[in-house]
Amino acid sequence: MGCVSTPGTARSSRAISPTGPSTSPTPGATHPAAPTASTCTSSGFRALLARCLPGSSRSSCHCCPRANCSPASPSLKGFCFSTSAPPPPRPTTALTFAQAPDPRTQPEVKGPDFAAFRAHRSRYQLAGTDDTVIADKHGAMLETTTGALVMWDGDTLCVPEGVWLPSVTLHQVAARAAQLGVSVKRRRLKPELAAEHPLWFLNSLHGISPVSELHVGDTVITPPVHPSFDEWRDWWWGGFCRELKHTTGN
């Protein structure tokens, strides 16, 4: 946990940059204004953070699944930004498919639907599975409550038709596929297709995690393993080593 104090106090346990790590913007997306000197205070940083979230008058805010911003003790006259350690990456992923109403209100924005996703999992997710699929009205898979989905049809990488949260990991996978000359196409990913086609769960925590089980009602579909999965997995996790070497020069 790190605390940011207001000017004149020096008891913060760790200073946190108001800018944070940078990422490439999504084309067409609206982003908060770039931080200025005025954001380098507790009130300025909180105001900047609040503009990224639904609502702007809260005394504390749930920034993402494992990050929270809340007032510090009166002696610090600032606020605390706390995070919890993530779980270890999953080697495989088991999913529940439920033909249920779409819980998303802003499918292309990360954050506003976290509570709806928790309720969706609580209502539909089967014991022993890791996540729940979000499907369109035709029964095609769009994504899960915590990650993206792609399917392989031979040498073609299939991404879902419809609207889903822009995924950095999916973008990385699709970009590498294009570099390798692999065709990338939008398809309706019906759950029954997973019986004969490899299905991958993607997010920045678990990387590329092959779906080992897809529970559809009383049926358990076992997607085949992609023949080049090990190479793709090692490439994705190796990206962190390449980035670290580029950053540190070692």
Side-chain angles (χ1 to χ4, degrees):
M1 179 178 74
C3 296
V4 177
S5 60
T6 54
T9 61
R11 296 181 58 189
S12 58
S13 60
R14 179 163 55 92
I16 298 177
S17 166
T19 55
S22 61
T23 56
S24 300
T26 302
T30 300
H31 300 276
T36 63
S38 64
T39 64
C40 297
T41 64
S42 62
S43 59
F45 185 24
R46 182 179 293 173
L48 176 69
L49 197 59
R51 290 202 296 271
C52 302
L53 303 170
S56 58
S57 60
R58 44 185 82 181
S59 59
S60 62
C61 50
H62 183 61
C63 308
C64 64
R66 296 181 181 87
N68 291 277
C69 174
S70 59
S73 64
S75 61
L76 285 178
K77 299 180 182 178
F79 67 94
C80 285
F81 187 81
S82 60
T83 60
S84 56
R90 290 193 299 262
T92 61
T93 294
L95 296 176
T96 296
F97 176 90
Q99 186 59 63
D102 190 339
R104 304 171 302 172
T105 60
Q106 298 185 56
E108 295 179 284
V109 180
K110 187 171 186 176
D113 292 322
F114 282 156
F117 289 158
R118 286 193 295 270
H120 194 71
R121 289 191 297 269
S122 177
R123 181 170 182 179
Y124 296 107
Q125 188 163 313
L126 298 177
T129 61
D130 301 301
D131 202 353
T132 304
V133 173
I134 297 171
D136 66 17
K137 63 181 180 181
H138 303 291
M141 300 183 291
L142 298 171
E143 58 186 344
T144 75
T145 66
T146 64
L149 293 173
V150 297
M151 183 179 285
W152 286 92
D153 183 5
D155 293 330
T156 299
L157 177 67
C158 304
V159 302
E161 286 188 350
V163 179
W164 32 270
L165 182 72
S167 163
V168 171
T169 309
L170 190 155
H171 173 78
Q172 292 171 321
V173 169
R176 181 176 191 249
Q179 291 171 355
L180 296 175
V182 174
S183 176
V184 181
K185 295 184 177 180
R186 281 183 174 261
R187 298 271 181 85
R188 279 190 177 179
L189 305 186
K190 300 300 286 286
E192 57 267 24
L193 295 176
E196 298 180 358
H197 300 86
L199 180 64
W200 287 355
F201 169 94
L202 310 173
N203 74 8
S204 57
L205 173 61
H206 298 290
I208 303 172
S209 179
V211 176
S212 56
E213 296 178 356
L214 180 61
H215 293 246
V216 185
D218 295 330
T219 301
V220 180
I221 298 173
T222 304
V225 177
H226 190 278
S228 299
F229 165 70
D230 288 347
E231 177 188 342
W232 279 88
R233 176 201 57 205
D234 294 346
W235 159 80
W236 194 84
W237 287 109
F240 291 97
C241 297
R242 292 189 295 271
E243 181 66 24
L244 179 61
K245 183 176 181 180
H246 173 74
T247 302
T248 64
N250 298 320

